Amino acid sequence: MVEWIPPWLIFIFGAAFVPFLKGRLRNTYLLFLPVLAFLNLINMPEGKGYVMNFLDYRLILCRVDNLSLPFGYIFVIITFIIFIFSLHLKENKEFALGLVYGGSATGVVFAGDFITLFIFWEIMAVSATFIVWGNKTKASRDAGFRYILFHLVGGVCLLAGIIIQVYTAGTTEFNWTGLNGTGSYFILLGFAINAAIPPLHAWLPDAYPEAPVTGAGYLTAFTTKTAVYVLARGFAGTEFLAWTGAFMAVYGIIYAMLQDDMRRLLSYHIVSQVGFMVCGIGLGTAMAINGAVAHAFSNILYKTLLFMSTGSIIYVTGKRLLSDLSGSDLYKKMPVTLVLYTIGAFSISGIPLMNGFISKGMIMYATGLQLHGSIHLMLGFASVGTFLSVALKLCYFAWFGSNKERAVEAKEPPINMLAGMGFTAFLCILIGIHPKILYDILPFALDYQPFKAAKVISTILLLSGTGLGFMLIIKKLSPVPRISLDTDWIYRKGAKKLISIMEIPITRLVAGINRVVFDLLPSSLSRASKNPLALLKIALGKVFLQFAAPEKREEIIHRIMTEKENYPEYTIKRLPIGTSVLLTVLFMLIYLLTYYV
């Protein structure tokens, strides 16, 4: 007998009741659901549950093992945190969507077969789109449409790959796949879009900054991290992913440095940080996989903290550009938010005693063990760039800055927002000080000592040098309002250009189709309906003409011409329409009775 229930079911089923609740009852219910899901998780034994047959295949609705559990834990924890952060909201729609989004993401990591995975994968894309639309602005509406289009393409690629893979392998079970055929390439492409692997990443910095302040927390936690999970499950040890991840880490940093919008800057850092995880998956060793999973766990915490902190600024001031905030002295008006942001910034930068130092160090250590010098160097460069852009540039220009002409009204955000950020900051520090909490839930047994003197000292010296360099070039890093087009240029500019080039040919083609469909075809059908017998004689006459003897040709041509002259006027006797319908129904009834009896 199964004594536990799938954790995704708690969230998705629980979402159905949210619209009917208000006030304290709603808040209590929202906080109770993730607690219940977490208690359910820690009591779930490893193995496969809720297995059912579909057609000739086995659906595994919940597979519990040492790879799915860490993602399940953090998804439930972060949902609890975001609910605390969002309790001041009056409307219930975002909470319901958050539960469906979090539930479907949890469904992905516990899915034991491709069919179940695909269903949750698509639910996740749709619910995330509605969260982006929750900001109710033109920018969020447009970004949401682009988001769903990207993910629909990814879903089609994934579905095509699944169909080919299932046909080839004869099973729907989702295990290690590797690059072993056409189906696996399509599956990897579908996963790569959700992982925001360049050049398939533009949806992320496009959509995430346009989401509501509270809704952005869900986005940072689920979509890219489920992609990390499925890559670890299906493509661990695929070498080109190691190089792809290293490239992502550097690529995201370069674009982050160009941004003026706080949340767009942090969105590019998601690309960069996921690059560390993808790199670990590509390396494929036990240490590297542990590092990738640990970094996903840590990233969800500190990245959500960063989005909540900058979201608090937007909530209080209504401003999201660093160029609008520089010099507004927010450090005097929002000191608690500044401290909490700093903890998140130190965590993502890998400062000792923060969770990012633990997880990022594991991936760097894995690259060193495998003597991947170039990859190690690229990840090191990305680490320096992360500290420079998040801990120094964004922090300085958002809270301090040199332009003293700006006056911004601000105060600390509501207490529930501070509580959500405070709990997240506490977890970042707790894991950084006591990493065994994280080690105990990782996929493989681990013997890693992060606090070796040489490691700690080298990290501090490197980041201190970065801080000194920032002070020397601070004026050159001053935020400037700019549009930095990425690969989204293809659909923002390139698509418009293509449409303008193709406008005349397409217009002519459409006009031709309209003429055939709405002019020529109806008139021809109308004439044919007036004299179907004559039309049949003309057609048969033309056929006979091809095979007739020479002496018969003139006679046949004469008959055809005669019929054509009388064609529009001559009509044949038809049965009344009621009789025709009756005969048709009787024929179908007799046919069905004959076929089934």
Side-chain angles (χ1 to χ4, degrees), residues 125 141 209 221 287 294 348 391 539 588:
R141 184 175 67 251
M287 173 60 75
I348 194 174
M588 293 179 64

Side-chain angles (χ1 to χ4, degrees), residues 252-424:
I253 289 301
I254 293 173
Y255 263 92
M257 291 298 299
L258 301 175
Q259 305 308 311
D260 185 27
D261 186 316
M262 292 186 293
R263 293 201 294 177
R264 190 168 169 85
L265 184 154
L266 293 175
S267 296
Y268 273 109
H269 272 288
I270 295 178
V271 176
S272 178
Q273 293 298 302
V274 171
F276 278 84
M277 305 167 209
V278 172
C279 181
I281 292 167
L283 294 175
T285 63
M287 173 60 75
I289 297 297
N290 276 342
V293 174
H295 204 51
F297 194 102
S298 297
N299 180 268
I300 289 174
L301 290 173
Y302 61 65
K303 184 60 70 174
T304 304
L305 176 56
L306 293 171
F307 264 84
M308 289 192 295
S309 304
T310 53
S312 297
I313 295 176
I314 298 170
Y315 179 80
V316 171
T317 67
K319 299 182 183 297
R320 52 191 278 184
L321 300 182
L322 294 174
S323 55
D324 291 336
L325 291 167
S326 179
S328 58
D329 291 338
L330 284 186
Y331 72 97
K332 298 178 181 177
K333 305 165 186 175
M334 304 176 69
V336 178
T337 306
L338 170 60
V339 171
L340 296 173
Y341 173 85
T342 304
I343 293 173
F346 282 179
S347 297
I348 194 174
S349 303
I351 299 290
L353 303 183
M354 300 291 172
N355 61 350
F357 176 74
I358 305 299
S359 57
K360 189 179 292 184
M362 293 166 65
I363 297 174
M364 299 292 287
Y365 182 63
T367 62
L369 287 177
Q370 293 185 253
L371 303 177
H372 280 292
S374 299
I375 292 178
H376 190 86
L377 184 63
M378 293 169 73
L379 296 183
F381 174 81
S383 298
V384 171
T386 300
F387 181 66
L388 179 62
S389 56
V390 178
L392 299 177
K393 176 186 174 180
L394 193 154
C395 184
Y396 177 78
F397 289 110
W399 270 272
F400 302 94
S402 56
N403 190 342
K404 300 300 180 182
E405 297 178 1
R406 293 184 177 87
V408 176
E409 300 251 344
K411 61 179 181 178
E412 295 289 2
I415 188 65
N416 66 286
M417 297 176 76
L418 291 174
M421 290 186 285
F423 184 48
T424 314

Side-chain angles (χ1 to χ4, degrees), residues 44 51 135 145 206 209 290 294 299 323 331 343 366-367 394 464-465 491 506 520 523 554 590:
M44 287 167 55
V51 180
N135 222 10
F145 275 116
D206 179 21
N290 276 342
N299 180 268
S323 55
Y331 72 97
I343 293 173
T367 62
L394 193 154
S464 298
Y491 54 81
I506 291 174
L520 300 180
S523 62
E554 290 188 11
I590 293 169

Side-chain angles (χ1 to χ4, degrees), residues 209 212 244 420:
T244 299

